[in-house]
Structures are given as structure tokens and as C-alpha cells.
Amino acid sequence: MENTSTLKPLVERMSSLGSSLRDGSLSPEIRRELKVLAKEVAFALETPFDTMQRVALMAVVRVAIEVGLLEYLIEAGSSGRTLEDLVAKTGVDEVLLPRLLRGLVTVGLVLRNHQHRWAATPLSQACTIPPLKSGFKFIFIAETVLTLGSFDLAGPVFQNMPKSLAKAKYRCPTALDGPFQDTYDTKLTCFDYIMEPRLADILEDYNRFMQGRRTTSWLEFYPFAENILGGADDQANSVMVVDVGGGLGHGLIEIKKRFPHMKGRLVLQDLPDTVNQAGDGKGAFEPLAHDFFTPQPVKDAKAYLLRTVLHDWPDDECRKILEQLVAAMRPGYSKVLINELVVPEAGDSDSINTLDLIMMGLHGGMERTKNQWRNLLASVGLRIEKIWTLNEETESVIEAFGQGMNSEVFAPPSHPPPILDSDQLTRLARSGSISIDLPNPLTTSVYELSALHHGFFDEPLSSKKSQFPAAEGTELGYYHVANGKEYLTFRHQDLSASAMKLTHAAAKFWASAASLLHRMLRDLSKSIKIPLAAWDPLLDGCLAMPSSRLETTPTLLRLFNYFPNAGSAERHTDTGLLTLCIGTTSGLQVWENPSLLPLSRDGQWTDVGTQPTVLIGKSLQWLSAGRLRAGIHRVVANPEGRQSIVFALRPSLRNPMFDLRPFGEPRVVDMAAIWKEMRGSLFNVNATNIIRTAQKKRLKAKGLMHGVSDESGQSSDEAGKADNEEKDGARQAHG
């Protein structure tokens, strides 16, 4: 029996939208909502057996396309055709054909009228549109692509995907190691594989599908005239747009048609065979054979355009592509335009979800969310200026600048100079902390945030609590510790509609601080020989403040206000990777060993004053197998009180199964479980004294009170010394 409590609100909402159909028109927004509602109603009514049938019937659709059945029905119009007529037209056996037709009725592609004739439906018309037909054939095409017999190209990949992902221990596929390579037993990328002459028809279907699936031009909603032509060099020989991986040049031809009198050159880049086929677009552009993984030969263009290129590739390959562009860009002038889908953070799109799975299976690529785009671009020194979107199912235009005049975020360039010299790296690795000078962009962010920070804590207690309600213990929102301190924790931007100015300043600081710590991780990686790319899964979603609760990671930004003569924090270490602490007065003290020997008991407490300080956390100590030591620190009461900004870069848990091989251990671990275990062995130094006492009692009963830990963490016994940290550094407790 169907769940009427689920169906009722869906049906009521569909009914309420019926009034929008009275004038005979249907807006794109109402159309999308009705489509989603109709799908949800259908799924609510569907039995498990119905679901199995729906998936199985896809093969029937492929057969119908192969024998031309749908075209024959469309030609006949509403009167339809008899079974005998269709047998003669298609050559399909007279017993088999009605079975296929009944399957097509089930999926809505064929109907049977009262005269027992078979007729086309509007859906069958859609399946014969050349680009969509080519796309369907590409996915389910019956061609001999293996010597073993007749196979689909993408079909076997999806059939094999469960086994392939299991074999890879459920790690994200790469361009050269994914379901496609596993299915076809090849070391080639999908693109290289279908370049073989015997697969020419498949390549043609793929190109037709990718070109024809766009229903809306990006030029219809992106202000090309204002953002590209305006402010560009007013010289005929200057390069206006380089279409990187631009295929046959359709995008540049459209630009030329819309702006026939524009000055500047248009350059099409793709591999030699494609460029030769494209020609010069009847004078619309200059063809230039180029591999986008190699240095970009065209310098100082106004715009480097990437249209549905990056979704074909994993992040590592995307960085290599983007790094070539960053090196060619003129600071403060050039920009990168990325015409790609942006996956909605909330809600789902069938077409985007399906395309994402296709990209994963065939290329190891992916469709990306806004945060994933932001993190990817920031990792090569690009900052998103704006994302232009018509609707969630249309490819957006992501406009990005490099680190020139327009850049506000301190992001690492493709090959950034080291922030720390060898002596500083040694000191940080062994002592777990180091004081630094902030780069100018981050200093600006500190000033802006500090001004709002002070103002917020001056507000009445009730106002602070109402603007940022506490949640997740002390991990989100405003928290007050009587006679001690108060603090505000950000983990996403959707916290307070009434304090957007403070939230915006916090988000700006987050991006700058994350980029700084990212660069320091790169420096540390080189010193202990860890591949730079090894950090990517751990930083997924961490380099920019998430826009909503659904996107949060453990990374956080915390604003502290320690009360005069009272506010303090016990001796502890942080649980994350790296933490940046910036204070207005003295009070933050770090444990230093003058000898720099890891097990030395000759250490002393040193007050860092107002100097910005970076601390290594427990997670980084664990990942480095103790080669990098977690920084012990505390906050002591100050007669003047103390305000500080603390940014804790913690491991992302978006990719829970984490490969430790780049860190020297041949195994995959459950990072989420390790994080939970690590956090479960700590008490919260920022909670009230009553809560801390109860947590310590619980941990002591479990025999866990033997080390130091987190800002939401476990303090050591006060008599303990620094040697306890090294004992906690090994990974043996976390399999």
C-alpha cells in the first residue's frame, strides 16, 4: 500500500501549480518544479519490481533506435502503424517485435490505440533528435569494440562499475585508472581509446552529443560585451579569446556572429586532427594545434575559455591544464572563463547527476559544486570573481582572475615560492609552532574582521545568542563561558541573516588564511617528501567557507573574547592539520625546546605576544607518522583581556576512505572513523568547567587521560611534559 502521507503534499503542490497553466504558458521555473514533483510522485507509487523493470527497459530503447522503429512510427503520425507494417519495415521477428513494443509502451515511447495500431508519442520524437540520438547510441551503442564480441561502449562500463570500484577500494577513479580502463583492460584514457580508427563512429556520436546537448548559449546570460570587450586592448592584433580545447570552433563562430565588429583575434586550440577538421571557421578564428597539458603559447589574452573541458578530468589533471593558463595570463587583465555545470548544493538535477556518473565512469572526471570549483581554482592561484547561471540545469560561466590587481585572496600560484626557509621548517616540524609575518592580503582581512569582531562582542548577551545560536556543542555559533570567555564559531556562511557583514568578513579571512596554510602544507610536504597532491582529498571543501550547513567540513574559524584576569585555556594541542592564531594582546603561550630535540624535557613556555602563530595539529602529526610534531600551547589570563582570531584547518571528511600510500603506508583507512576516534579521546578546553570536569572523569575511567590534545581537546595532566606527544604520534592506534 502506498504511503499517502508522502503522496498527499506532492499532489497538493502539483494542484496548486495548475493555476499557472490557465493562460497556456509555462515558465521554465514552473516547468522544472512540475518535472521534479512528477518524478517524486512516480517514485512514491513505484514498487521495487517497477524500479527493476524501469532500468531493464533501457536496453529496449536502444534496440528501437538501432532498427529505426521510432522514426517509422513518427512518419505515420497519429494514425500509427500495424504490427505487420512494422515487421516489414524493421525486419524484426513478428514474435519479438510486439514484446519490444510493449516495453516501449511501459517507458512512454510508444502507445497502442483503440484500433490496435502502434503510434509514436512526444517522447519518441525527442529520442530521434540527432544530438540526443547520438548520445544514447554513445552510451548503449552496439559495436564490436572488443575482440570478444559485440559490446556497448559505455554500457559495459556501468555494468562493471560496482566491481571496478570495489577493486579500487572505493577510491575516486582517475583518468588512467577507473571503470573504463578496468572494463576494457587498457591503460589509455577514454579519449585516446576512441581515437582508434575502428571506433570512428563512436567518436562521431560523442562529438555530436556533446555539441548538441547544449540548449542555451552561455552568451545569452554572460555579459561578454561588458566583461570581455570592455577594458580589452583596443588593438587589432591583440588576442581577445583563446578557446582552449574548443573542438570544431562552434563557440568562437557564435562569438563572431554576435559581435561581428569586435576588435582582437579569436584563437581556436585543440589537437591537430580536430584543428585540421575545423579549419578557420570561414575566417572567424585562427586555428592553432595545441595540447592543453603543455605550456600555453598564446600570452596575455583577455580571456582563456574552457567549455566543458574540465569536467572530463580529475582534479590533478585540471590543475595541470589551469597552471598552463595561469602562467600565460597578464596580471590584472586576463581572466579564465569556465563554461561548465555547477552542481546544486541543495536539491538534485537528474541530468547533472547522470552526467556526473558518466564522467566518472568514462574519464575519471566529475561535475563540481561551487565549493569544489572554488577550491580547485584557488589551488592554482585563481580566484572566482562571479558565477553566472541561468538555471541549475544550464552550464554556468565561472569567471576567475589570477593574482593580479583584481585578486583579493592570497592563493598559492602553480609553483609558489616557499613561505618558510629550511631553518623555519625544522623549527616548526620539531617544536610544532612558529611565529610568522602575514602577507598583505591576509593582513587586510584581519583588520576588516577584527573591527567587526570587537563590535560583535560589545553587543548584549541576548543579541549575540539570537544572532548566532549555539549548535553542535561548541562547534558552531555563539558560546559563553561564565567568568571566562566567549567565542563565535563559523563553519559555514548560512548562520545569521542579521549579521551578514560579519559573516562576509569572516568568509574573506577564511579564504586568505586557508590559502596561507595550504602553502605552508606544501612547504612541509617538500621537507618530508610527501607528494603535494596527497593533500587534495583532505582539503576538499576546506579552502573556502562553505555556503551552507550541508557543505560543512570539520574546518572552522573561531573568534575569541577572553575576559580580563579570567579567560584562559588549559595546555593542549589542536586536532587538525594546521592552526593560525592571531591575538590582540599577550596570553598565547607555546611550549618550546631550545635544543629542538623531540624528547627534550628542557622546554619552556614562551608568550608569542601579538605575533601571528601557526601550530601543527594532531592530525598532521599522525599523517606524518610523528615526523611533524603537534604544537603544545595554552592561553593564560591577561589583565587586559584578550581577543583573538583562530583558524583551524582540519581534515575534510568528504572522502572518508583515505589512501595512506603517499604518506608511506600501503593501506586505505577510514578517515571519518579515525577522526571520530581521535575526537572521542579528548575533552573540550573551551567548554565550561563543569563540562570539562565531567569529560575528564569519563576519559580517566577509560584510561585515556595520558596526553594532550585539542582546542576541543584533551589536556594532559598538569605534571605531564612534552614527551607524551611523541608517544601519541605513531599511527598504530588507527588502522
Side-chain angles (χ1 to χ4, degrees), residues 35 87 106 212 226 241 265 287 313 333 360 370 417 478 488 500 564 568 592 636 727:
K35 188 173 73 169
V87 168
T106 303
E226 177 183 350
V241 178
R265 297 149 53 201
W313 301 96
Y333 174 78
M360 180 184 73
K370 180 170 68 175
Y478 175 77
L488 174 60
M500 291 308 297
S568 63
E592 290 191 337
V636 298
K727 296 176 184 177

Side-chain angles (χ1 to χ4, degrees), residues 470-477 479 487 489 556 558 679 684 686-688 691 711-712:
E472 302 179 27
T474 64
E475 290 288 282
L476 188 66
Y479 198 84
Y487 52 94
T489 304
L556 59 79
R558 187 166 276 165
R679 300 279 292 168
N684 191 338
N686 288 315
T688 64
I691 293 175
E711 80 284 354
S712 300

Side-chain angles (χ1 to χ4, degrees), residues 12-21 26 30 33-34 37:
E12 288 175 348
R13 177 57 181 158
M14 291 185 75
S15 178
S16 69
L17 292 174
S19 59
S20 64
L21 305 178
L26 185 64
I30 297 297
E33 186 172 357
L34 281 171
L37 287 169

Side-chain angles (χ1 to χ4, degrees), residues 17 20 46 106 146 189 224 249 279 324 345 427 472 493 539 575 706:
L17 292 174
S20 64
E46 196 173 74
T106 303
L146 293 176
T189 67
F224 184 86
Q324 313 310 323
E345 301 288 359
R427 182 181 181 84
E472 302 179 27
Q493 298 182 47
L539 299 179
T575 48
H706 60 275

